[in-house]
Amino acid sequence: GAVVSQHPSWVICKSGTSVKIECRSLDFQATTMFWYRQFPKQSLMLMATSNEGSKATYEQGVEKDKFLINHASLTLSTLTVTSAHPEDSSFYICSVAHPGKLFFGSGTQLSVL
Amino acid sequence: EDQVTQSPEALRLQEGESSSLNCSYTVSGLRGLFWYRQDPGKGPEFLFTLYSAGEEKEKERLKATLTKKESFLHITAPKPEDSATYLCAVQALENTDKLIFGTGTRLQVFP
């Protein structure tokens, strides 16, 4: 299956700062990547679909200006949480669309103090 | 609205005690149903994709089946290393690659 690398694994930041999370598809050229968010003991909620070379498509209720997504190449998508607040603390996971399935990164645990 | 419901929320098994996890779904048109395993603090690990009613897939102690309304993940003679959260997700015909997840079943297998 596709290998997806996500970095960093965890990050702690102060309220008001911005945090960037990287998602790389190591062995597959991904025109589409997805960003999910997961709260403790809850399911994965799709935040946005990242399309290479074009604007991301955000799910209803997800703030575009707060969660900036850039998919500049076929192997890299980034999610930037701008002006983070404690309520943004969560587990963020990216995934790569591969024919017939999605492969996921290892996730990033964000804690905003 | 497309929806996925998993049961039970949590399951505790003795090593060797076989059981089944349920995934009920409603979707306008099913493109595929997916099973993933997720360990704490990790991303989901792909297990199976099922596409049509009657289809079955196996991997080691796991076997997934699919009907028109639900899917089962059967675990035969589980071992402690099978302890994880098992997630079910569906992909609708009109939503290319987008997955809708259930809340998962947290499985604990005790020696």
Side-chain angles (χ1 to χ4, degrees), chain A residues 50-84:
Chain A
S50 172
N51 303 295
E52 189 268 333
S54 64
K55 291 184 178 180
T57 304
Y58 290 82
E59 294 298 302
Q60 191 172 9
V62 177
E63 298 177 59
K64 301 178 183 181
D65 295 332
K66 182 164 191 62
F67 298 101
L68 300 179
I69 291 173
N70 183 280
H71 193 156
S73 76
L74 289 171
T75 60
L76 175 64
S77 175
T78 61
L79 168 68
T80 300
V81 183
T82 63
S83 186

Side-chain angles (χ1 to χ4, degrees), chain A residues 34 36 38 41-44 46 59 91 93 97 100-107, chain B residues 34 36 38 41-44 46 49 51 87 96-99 101-104 106:
Chain A
F34 299 89
Y36 287 83
Q38 186 177 34
K41 297 187 179 181
Q42 293 189 24
S43 188
L44 282 75
L46 180 65
E59 294 298 302
F91 192 55
I93 314 173
K101 59 197 75 167
L102 288 188
F103 291 99
F104 288 83
S106 55
Chain B
F34 299 76
Y36 286 86
Q38 186 177 25
K42 302 292 184 182
F46 173 78
T49 307
Y51 294 102
L87 298 169
T96 306
D97 295 322
K98 177 180 176 179
L99 293 185
F101 281 86
T103 52
R106 294 188 303 279

